[in-house]
Amino acid sequence: MSYQPPTPAPRRRRIWPWIVAAVAMLVVIGAVAASPHSTSSSRSTATSSGSGGGGSSAAVPGGISDGTHEVGPDLAPGKYKTAGPDSDSIVSSCYWARLNSTDGDFDSIITNGNTRGPATLTVKSTDAAVEFSGGCVWTKTS
């Protein structure tokens, strides 16, 4: 009888790397879907009620809603308030951003924020535009 080395046990496929990859992919997809910034290069320009100008209107009775609004032609500098998102809204927060340009670059954001309730925003005459999303209605107070 000749010596025969023991046969190695069949190699088990490791499943955990696939699970980790799938979870990471879901996290990335969720983060992109929840991002308040549009990746589209086309941005709508809204007009407030009572002002001239073109663009698709996000003006609502008594205020301004979602869109990128140019300071001057579409939106007057001053203080704006919102009551926050509707309680039955799918979106649980309002996003706002003061912009130094409407080119869509991340560096165009002067400052931004999210609010889940009442908030006040001061738009300066030096801002190029303001961006709103989340379905909140912003009204000028001064």
Side-chain angles (χ1 to χ4, degrees):
M1 219 186 220
S2 66
Y3 173 76
Q4 291 185 350
T7 57
R11 198 165 177 196
R12 290 182 50 191
R13 286 185 147 177
R14 291 187 179 172
I15 237 171
W16 67 267
W18 292 102
I19 293 172
V20 169
V23 168
M25 184 86 98
L26 289 174
V27 167
V28 168
I29 290 170
V32 168
S35 173
H37 297 289
S38 172
T39 56
S40 170
S41 62
S42 66
R43 295 192 176 260
S44 64
T45 303
T47 58
S48 62
S49 57
S51 68
S56 62
S57 178
V60 292
I64 297 174
S65 190
D66 295 358
T68 301
H69 310 272
E70 284 188 67
V71 175
D74 300 333
L75 182 78
K79 202 176 271 190
Y80 290 81
K81 288 189 174 190
T82 183
D86 289 334
S87 59
D88 60 347
S89 174
I90 255 180
V91 181
S92 63
S93 67
C94 302
Y95 173 78
W96 59 266
R98 292 178 40 229
L99 308 172
N100 62 19
S101 158
T102 57
D103 61 10
D105 287 342
F106 185 73
D107 292 338
S108 298
I109 299 172
I110 299 168
T111 186
N112 65 354
N114 287 295
T115 181
R116 292 176 182 241
T120 302
L121 172 66
T122 300
V123 177
K124 298 181 178 180
S125 61
T126 55
D127 297 345
V130 178
E131 179 182 346
F132 297 124
S133 66
C136 298
V137 176
W138 295 82
T139 55
K140 189 168 188 321
T141 61
S142 65

